[in-house]
Amino acid sequence: MIWFSRLPDATKGILFMLVSVTSFSLMDAVAKLLGQRIDVSQVLFARYGGQLIIVLVLFRNSLPRLLRTDYPRLQWIRGMFQLAAAACFFIALKSVGLPEATAVADLAPVMITLGAALILKERVGPRRAFGIAAAMVGALIVIRPTGAVFTPASLWPLGSALCLSGYALATRYIGKSEPPQTALLYSGIFGTAVMALIIPFRWVSPDATAWTLIALIGVIGTFAQLMMIQAYSSGEASAVAPFSYAGLITASLWSVLIFDAWPDTYTVLGALVIVSAGLYVWHRETQAPRPPQS
């Protein structure tokens, strides 16, 4: 697609992020369904085992090249962050609604932006700061700190946000120096290996529906992660991160379509604030002046 290659890096990163969060929210809905039928450890094994199988099949001729990395320790750390983020979120889904859990986990962009400034030395200008602040206001409208969302169960998606920020910063640090398939391979190996040690002690026999969902979660999760890696590799973390708030919108959509759980007025209002803030940042990023061509 020639038109896509001509887009600014920030815009590419934003588009990749929007596709990623839509896919991840669908994966989370599938995980919530699966969590009602099998143990969370099996859900995680399906997520990363499916990813590992897909990567091994699709890139079987390139495996020696994909296993080579200049950041072996960082690859494993990134895999650990991702597994921990998914584990926290899937556990939360057993007792918290999908939109509510997503709203709490949406604190991640703030953590990512602060981490990008402190660790990666990225500049957080007034436009990005405004977009993040406005999106946070939208998330708080949904969460309503004095309401029922802030329960002990909310600590699980909060832990997911913290781990996701570590994953995003590690991805940004590696950047474009290594292909995204390398990250998929390492995180697949790490997640599958860790869960393989746990599930024998927590095994619940899946029924026919569960097996179908197991296959789906592996495919959707792999695609979503690939898109997120592309997002953080294409644009600066502090520019791309605010658009992960769009996952709150898509999570609400899946909640309605799959669980017949309609968002209330506060959720709709907060979603509108989040979308407006995201569109503003996107517009400002694409309209930013470019240096003259020599």
Side-chain angles (χ1 to χ4, degrees):
M1 296 184 291
I2 298 177
W3 66 270
F4 186 81
S5 63
R6 294 175 178 173
L7 294 175
D9 286 345
T11 303
K12 291 178 184 177
I14 289 167
L15 290 175
F16 280 128
M17 176 58 75
L18 292 175
V19 175
S20 174
V21 297
T22 300
S23 303
F24 268 125
S25 63
L26 178 58
M27 181 197 73
D28 293 336
V30 174
K32 187 173 180 65
L33 291 171
L34 259 180
Q36 300 169 358
R37 297 175 177 272
I38 58 178
D39 188 74
V40 172
S41 62
Q42 294 172 266
V43 179
L44 289 165
F45 183 79
R47 160 74 177 91
Y48 291 100
Q51 174 180 308
L52 182 58
I53 291 173
I54 291 172
V55 172
L56 291 177
V57 171
L58 292 180
F59 306 106
R60 58 187 179 277
N61 296 326
S62 307
L63 290 179
R65 177 177 61 84
L66 295 180
L67 282 170
R68 290 195 298 270
T69 174
D70 295 328
Y71 309 94
R73 183 178 299 179
L74 195 56
Q75 290 286 2
W76 295 122
I77 291 175
R78 179 164 64 173
M80 178 187 67
F81 274 129
Q82 188 190 16
L83 176 61
C88 289
F89 198 83
F90 288 176
I91 292 172
L93 289 178
K94 294 182 71 69
S95 55
V96 178
L98 182 57
E100 291 78 11
T102 303
V104 177
D106 271 348
L107 293 173
V110 176
M111 300 177 184
I112 293 169
T113 302
L114 292 176
L118 296 174
I119 300 173
L120 302 182
K121 307 302 180 183
E122 292 183 4
R123 178 179 176 272
V124 181
R127 290 191 297 269
R128 294 177 183 176
F130 173 79
I132 292 167
M136 269 300 299
V137 170
L140 288 174
I141 292 173
V142 178
I143 294 172
R144 300 186 299 283
T146 58
V149 176
F150 271 14
T151 64
S154 298
L155 295 177
W156 287 112
L158 184 60
S160 179
L162 182 62
C163 294
L164 182 59
S165 64
Y167 164 80
L169 292 173
T171 298
R172 182 58 188 167
Y173 183 84
I174 293 174
K176 301 179 181 180
S177 61
E178 295 185 356
Q181 295 88 346
T182 295
L184 287 174
L185 182 58
Y186 274 92
S187 62
I189 293 173
F190 183 86
T192 303
V194 172
M195 288 301 106
L197 297 175
I198 298 175
I199 59 172
F201 303 98
R202 304 186 62 86
W203 180 261
V204 177
S205 296
D207 57 19
T209 301
W211 281 117
T212 302
L213 295 174
I214 285 171
L216 279 176
I217 200 171
V219 173
I220 298 172
T222 303
F223 176 74
Q225 187 187 349
L226 178 61
M227 292 296 98
M228 179 167 284
I229 293 170
Q230 292 281 19
Y232 284 114
S233 298
S234 298
E236 290 186 356
S238 51
V240 172
F243 288 84
S244 65
Y245 282 117
L248 177 57
I249 314 302
T250 54
S252 299
L253 175 63
W254 303 130
S255 181
V256 171
L257 295 178
I258 298 175
F259 302 102
D260 196 26
W262 289 79
D264 58 20
T265 302
Y266 288 100
T267 300
V268 174
L269 177 60
L272 290 174
V273 173
I274 292 168
V275 170
S276 299
L279 290 176
Y280 170 77
V281 175
W282 192 355
H283 173 74
R284 296 300 300 177
E285 288 291 337
T286 56
Q287 296 299 313
R290 302 179 187 178
Q293 301 292 326
S294 58

